[in-house]
Amino acid sequence: MTAPTVPTTPRATGRGWLRPALRSRRFAAGLALLAVFVLTAALGPWLVGDPNAFTTDLGQAPSGAHWLGTTQTGQDVLAQLVVSARGTLLIGAASALIATVVSVVVGIGGGFLGGLADEALSLISNVFLVIPGLPLVIVVSAYVKGGGAWSTILVIALTSWAASARVLRAQTLSLRSRDYVLAARVYGEKRWRIVLVEILPNELAIIVSQFIFAVIFAILTQAGLAFLGLADPSHLTWGTMLYFAQNAEALTSGAWWWFIPPGLCIAALGTALSLISFGLDEVLDPRLRVRKVSA
Amino acid sequence: MRYLLRKLGFYAIAAWMAITVNFFLPRLIPGDPVEMMLARQAQSGPVEPGQEEALAAMLGLGHGNLLVQYGDYLHALARLDFGLSVTYFPSPVTDVVGDAVPWTLVLVGAATLLSVALGLTLGMLAGWRRGSWFDSLVPSTTFLAAIPYFWLALLLLYLFSQVWGVLPLGGGYDETLDIGLSGAFLGSAAEHAVLPAATIVLSSVGGWMLGMRNMMVSTLAEDYVVAAEAKGLPPRTIMVGYAARNAVLPSVAGFAISLGFIVSGSLVMEIVFSYPGMGFTLLQAVQNTDYPLMQAVFLVITFGVLAANFLVDLVYGFVDPRTRQAR
């Protein structure tokens, strides 16, 4: 995954950017796909039956009665998939939100304050950046066993804020010396007001894009953790579905309808979010737009 | 030289922070982990005297105040004394980890190099022919990048082993063979590495490609590229020698983030293939609540990633002289 390109000229935010963004095919496609997932997560659980209900149809292939077949214990795969969408999205959004808040505080705070505070904060973010996240997450989850969904969310958030903090710091450093910020200082505006009113709004596009990548990262990490059996198995997510499928040897028994859909959903959701982010980048950085060139 | 020292200083601090985090983490374990480990070891066989102290020191839970505990912990670490593994009792943890390291190192190392080379080349070509049919394929790699490694592994395993039966179902080598430098063993190891390596390459190549493509597009607009074109240099020379050489720099600089991603993904992927590397060992440790083994695996992986990043930073300082002069 590459960090999104930092736009060279921050645009004023407002309603002005949404219309050209929708003209980008990628952005529109991503948004439509995301809307499907969000609607499924919001309304779906009421439309399908109890995902944990056992039936006598054990390990059946897709049919009219069970569109995506059943698990080894006769649970409906489609019902599990729909209910898992909610769990997965909630964990992804919550971890990403916490990670983004931390990165905004560390990145913008450090970049704006400068001096020793900046040195210390950027050292910490760089260290967090080079220490691989997942092994740390696995070890912590193994230690605090049985912490439920919130411990998963916190652990993921704490290992995923560093990259975006670095991007935001770089942008803040560049904004800090712009004329309008200097003017605000000369007026004697308070520091927190300069940060909140002059700097933060101009970094909103980057923050949104970083948030989107944080959601993807959180969903992938959660899926990995759950697959290892380190997330609360009673909290249904696509990752826990894959965990149960793996433990029931769905692979060797050929029950492809059990382990393929959850992974496909994770990949599709990730793609939708990336498309939205790239669409935003294209709108903000016209150089990336595809133009026909006569080569 | 100053660049080198500064980088060395940074990685020393990063390593120290990893060690210190590792010192504090066992305090999160509910109950008394030392007692628990000893009881479990006693079930598997006689526990030698001195094990309790060694274990307590390694988990940072020895006698005395925090500073003494920290000192004991560092001392144990310096002697690489991780104690005995519970999972593979009575093998020392260092032996267990030592057996697993080469598998991951070779697999992840080779697959990463392959993926970087492939991704950068394809990205260069896509950026060079911006707007062509080839360039329009690039966005589809976002789908590959959003796939969890372990699920792609499941899918490949299902297709190639279960349905078509052309590749082995898992493990690192044919277990009837002895580990050694014999042709039969190496062939079997290579055969078992095909699917894991393919998983890593497929999942990570898109990121390199996309980053390189976008930088190529920006670089091609630079004056020196226009000047080279005006001079009438062959397109190949401009593409490789002028544009790509400069466009590749951010990819090198972004290696740290990518490597963390690849290593994390590979750990979970190894479990799908029962590949006898660090990820598989870590899972064994987690499933058996083998704290000493978990600690060792965490530290080894972290140090491996730090070392790789340090090497890449050295290369970066060499290929981009500007970084050496900065500050």
Side-chain angles (χ1 to χ4, degrees):
Chain A
M1 188 143 309
T2 45
T5 330
V6 180
T8 40
T9 46
R11 270 183 64 113
T13 45
R15 247 164 251 145
W17 61 272
L18 192 64
R19 197 165 300 205
L22 279 176
R23 223 176 289 140
S24 155
R25 285 222 309 274
R26 293 185 194 177
F27 184 81
L31 206 61
L33 200 53
L34 179 66
V36 172
F37 278 114
V38 171
L39 280 178
T40 308
L43 307 174
W46 287 303
L47 302 178
V48 295
D50 178 8
N52 294 318
F54 301 110
T55 60
T56 47
D57 308 332
L58 304 180
Q60 288 198 339
S63 63
H66 302 283
W67 290 358
L68 282 177
T70 57
T71 69
Q72 203 145 31
T73 45
Q75 293 150 314
D76 188 67
V77 174
L78 182 67
Q80 292 207 328
L81 201 66
V82 167
V83 174
S84 297
R86 181 180 281 186
T88 308
L89 277 175
L90 280 180
I91 288 187
S95 318
L97 199 66
I98 297 173
T100 309
V101 168
V102 174
S103 71
V104 165
V105 170
V106 172
I108 298 188
F112 185 75
L113 290 174
L116 210 61
D118 182 34
E119 291 280 331
L121 286 177
S122 69
L123 178 70
I124 294 174
S125 4
N126 282 336
V127 168
F128 263 91
L129 201 64
V130 290
I131 291 180
L134 194 71
L136 186 60
V137 173
I138 290 177
V139 170
V140 173
S141 308
Y143 284 174
V144 294
K145 227 172 245 173
W150 273 107
S151 78
T152 308
I153 290 172
L154 282 177
V155 167
I156 295 175
L158 284 179
T159 50
S160 64
W161 54 270
S164 62
R166 205 160 76 153
V167 174
L168 288 173
R169 172 178 175 265
Q171 185 66 11
T172 309
L173 283 182
S174 123
L175 286 179
R176 195 171 67 142
S177 49
R178 300 272 167 101
D179 288 343
Y180 70 93
V181 177
L182 293 179
R185 285 196 180 190
V186 174
Y187 284 151
E189 277 189 29
K190 294 209 168 59
R191 275 184 177 183
W192 61 265
R193 206 189 123 80
I194 296 178
V195 170
L196 287 183
V197 179
E198 314 286 353
I199 292 185
L200 197 65
N202 277 311
E203 295 190 19
L204 211 57
I206 307 177
I207 296 174
V208 169
S209 147
Q210 296 295 338
F211 172 77
I212 290 174
F213 279 107
V215 176
I216 301 177
F217 179 84
I219 288 175
L220 286 176
T221 309
Q222 194 276 334
L225 269 186
F227 182 69
L228 297 181
L230 286 172
D232 181 6
S234 63
H235 183 86
L236 261 185
T237 61
W238 292 325
T240 44
M241 282 182 75
L242 286 166
Y243 166 71
F244 286 124
Q246 171 82 352
N247 276 4
E249 297 189 346
L251 194 79
T252 38
S253 62
W256 54 268
W257 57 87
W258 190 359
F259 68 86
I260 287 190
L264 218 51
C265 283
I266 294 173
L269 181 58
T271 311
L273 290 167
S274 314
L275 285 175
I276 293 175
S277 168
F278 292 139
L280 281 178
D281 277 353
E282 272 178 29
V283 173
L284 297 168
D285 189 356
R287 282 183 306 172
L288 288 177
R289 270 177 231 168
V290 178
R291 240 175 280 120
K292 285 272 176 199
V293 281
S294 47
Chain B
M1 198 58 205
R2 262 193 70 193
Y3 172 77
L4 189 76
L5 283 178
R6 228 183 52 226
K7 284 291 163 197
L8 213 55
F10 169 71
Y11 283 103
I13 293 176
W16 172 74
M17 275 175 77
I19 288 174
T20 307
V21 165
N22 196 42
F23 167 72
F24 283 108
L25 281 183
R27 280 153 220 274
L28 293 172
I29 306 170
D32 184 353
V34 179
E35 277 300 307
M36 213 168 90
M37 287 294 103
L38 284 177
R40 297 263 310 283
Q41 290 184 343
Q43 283 172 6
S44 328
V47 180
E48 287 170 43
Q51 265 304 302
E52 184 176 354
E53 280 75 35
L55 200 61
M58 196 54 225
L59 290 170
L61 298 171
H63 305 289
N65 61 18
L66 201 64
L67 221 58
V68 177
Q69 286 178 338
Y70 191 57
D72 286 348
Y73 163 80
L74 288 183
H75 190 228
L77 205 61
R79 285 180 295 139
L80 290 179
D81 182 6
F82 290 92
L84 302 181
S85 160
V86 178
T87 320
Y88 301 93
F89 192 80
S91 312
V93 167
T94 32
D95 288 1
V96 177
V97 174
D99 286 344
V101 164
W103 292 99
T104 300
L105 198 63
V106 172
L107 174 71
V108 176
T112 306
L113 287 180
L114 190 67
S115 161
V116 170
L118 202 66
L120 293 184
T121 313
L122 293 177
M124 176 184 76
L125 292 172
W128 180 248
R129 298 182 182 278
R130 179 160 70 141
S132 67
W133 65 269
F134 182 62
D135 186 25
S136 61
L137 287 181
V138 173
S140 61
T141 59
T142 52
F143 181 72
L144 283 179
I147 293 178
Y149 277 47
F150 67 89
W151 182 75
L152 186 63
L154 281 173
L155 199 65
L156 291 178
L157 197 59
Y158 177 67
L159 290 176
F160 285 91
S161 303
Q162 200 70 26
V163 181
W164 298 323
V166 286
L167 286 167
L169 194 55
Y173 57 98
D174 187 346
E175 299 203 346
T176 56
L177 299 168
D178 292 326
I179 297 184
L181 282 176
S182 67
F185 169 74
L186 290 179
S188 144
E191 195 187 18
H192 282 77
V194 170
L195 286 182
T199 308
I200 298 178
V201 172
L202 276 177
S203 313
S204 58
V205 77
W208 298 109
M209 197 168 154
L210 195 78
M212 182 66 181
R213 182 256 173 205
N214 285 350
M215 269 321 285
M216 254 324 247
V217 170
S218 312
T219 315
L220 285 173
E222 298 280 352
D223 288 342
Y224 56 83
V225 174
V226 179
E229 277 170 354
K231 272 198 280 186
L233 289 177
R236 226 183 131 80
T237 311
I238 300 174
M239 177 173 77
V240 179
Y242 283 70
R245 251 179 97 175
N246 289 292
V248 81
L249 294 176
S251 295
V252 181
F255 187 80
I257 308 174
S258 314
L259 187 68
F261 229 75
I262 294 174
V263 168
S264 300
S266 312
L267 289 180
V268 192
M269 178 207 72
E270 276 182 8
I271 290 152
V272 174
F273 290 111
S274 317
Y275 202 77
M278 298 301 283
F280 192 66
T281 310
L282 183 56
L283 183 75
Q284 298 296 319
V286 166
Q287 284 178 342
N288 294 297
T289 36
D290 190 344
Y291 298 126
L293 189 56
M294 265 190 254
Q295 290 221 306
V297 170
F298 169 70
L299 282 180
V300 168
I301 295 172
T302 307
F303 273 69
V305 170
L306 290 182
N309 278 320
F310 180 59
L311 279 179
V312 170
D313 270 346
L314 289 189
V315 172
Y316 191 61
F318 181 69
V319 296
D320 189 352
R322 284 171 297 182
T323 48
R324 272 176 283 164
Q325 285 162 0
R327 268 198 274 175

